[in-house]
Amino acid sequence: MGDSDTIFISEKNMKFILEYFQPRQKAFGRSEMILEKNIPEDRLCLLLKGTAYLCMENERGDKQLLDYFTGGRLLYHDMLPGPESGHCFVQAKYPCVIAYLPGPELTEYILKTEDRNLATQFYGILRSTVSLSIEHCHILQQKTIRGKLLAFLHAQSRQQKSSTVHIPIPYSDLADYLSIDRSSLMTELSRMHEDGVIEKNTRRIVLKGNGPD
């Protein structure tokens, strides 16, 4: 795998963006839609607080979790997959606060001032969107449930820069993200704990192994 670390906007630059550009902010309650593929919007959104899910819903109403976002991530309409497989949208999992960034003005500021730090962060965030998609594909390609779990946990360990990982989403949603049954996921986590591969305490997991099977 390449550089798949998620890159977030730093608190310093987030504060600068909010003070300098004074973007409109909007709060979203749980399950409210933030972006939808069938409603074209040329918007660049900065997730200030909360957790949002990227989901796909088919004609039968079955919903699949494709990705999740936390504070400091950028959301934009073009990140949504095409509508061929169903309705695609970004939805607030928990209450969120979004800042609508002025894309052209922000680009002009970066070019005018040559703020390399801010430009690097924005480039990194856009690049990480692609990297994380590749990471997710890598996880799903693992042949066993344990392989998927270890690939996910080691990816989280790199992102959180610790061998002690906090699972950022409920286990029911993690099962959906990994395309496995929740009961099978929980059973395998218990086996991994018994085998000494991990130490599990609710959604806090300490990695003991070296990588996916």
Side-chain angles (χ1 to χ4, degrees):
M1 300 297 293
D3 177 14
S4 58
D5 293 345
T6 305
I7 303 176
F8 301 89
I9 295 181
S10 68
E11 290 186 9
K12 176 183 177 181
N13 279 333
M14 190 182 298
K15 182 179 179 181
F16 166 77
I17 289 170
L18 295 179
E19 291 179 350
Y20 186 89
F21 296 100
Q22 297 185 348
R24 179 173 68 89
Q25 297 184 30
K26 183 177 179 180
F28 291 83
R30 183 167 183 164
S31 299
E32 281 194 277
M33 296 291 183
I34 298 173
L35 292 173
E36 295 185 70
K37 189 63 178 182
N38 58 3
I39 303 179
E41 295 177 297
D42 185 17
R43 286 181 171 178
L44 184 62
C45 307
L46 174 60
L47 179 57
L48 300 177
K49 297 178 182 178
T51 302
Y53 281 4
L54 171 60
C55 299
M56 181 82 77
E57 189 175 66
N58 62 24
E59 294 178 353
R60 299 188 302 273
D62 300 324
K63 187 166 66 174
Q64 180 183 6
L65 172 62
L66 302 181
D67 206 347
Y68 57 90
F69 313 101
T70 53
R73 291 289 300 276
L74 285 178
L75 310 174
Y76 46 95
H77 191 264
D78 286 344
M79 76 189 303
L80 304 179
E84 295 82 7
S85 301
H87 180 209
C88 190
F89 53 89
V90 176
Q91 180 181 44
K93 170 63 178 179
Y94 303 114
C96 293
V97 178
I98 296 288
Y100 293 102
L101 302 182
E105 291 87 347
L106 188 56
T107 302
E108 183 179 351
Y109 171 84
I110 293 174
L111 292 174
K112 181 179 179 180
T113 62
E114 297 183 0
D115 190 331
R116 185 166 298 179
N117 180 42
L118 188 57
T120 298
Q121 288 207 47
F122 269 91
Y123 169 74
I125 291 168
L126 296 175
R127 183 194 65 208
S128 72
T129 299
V130 177
S131 297
L132 288 172
S133 297
I134 296 173
E135 181 87 67
H136 193 193
C137 289
H138 168 72
I139 292 170
L140 295 178
Q141 286 174 348
Q142 302 304 306
K143 299 183 182 302
T144 64
I145 295 175
R146 180 169 295 198
K148 289 183 178 182
L149 280 167
L150 283 173
F152 172 79
L153 290 172
H154 281 275
Q156 287 295 311
S157 178
R158 290 192 295 273
Q159 292 173 26
Q160 299 181 28
K161 296 179 172 58
S162 173
S163 60
T164 299
V165 171
H166 170 71
I167 305 300
I169 56 178
Y171 281 118
S172 57
D173 295 333
L174 177 60
D176 189 19
Y177 181 74
L178 299 178
S179 296
I180 55 181
D181 180 74
R182 184 184 184 280
S183 60
S184 299
L185 180 145
M186 300 308 296
T187 297
E188 186 58 41
L189 282 173
S190 296
R191 288 173 178 167
M192 290 166 67
H193 180 85
E194 293 171 358
D195 292 344
V197 178
I198 62 170
E199 290 182 6
K200 176 180 175 294
N201 182 6
T202 60
R203 282 163 60 183
R204 177 182 173 275
I205 291 181
V206 180
L207 280 164
K208 299 295 185 179
N210 295 319
D213 289 344

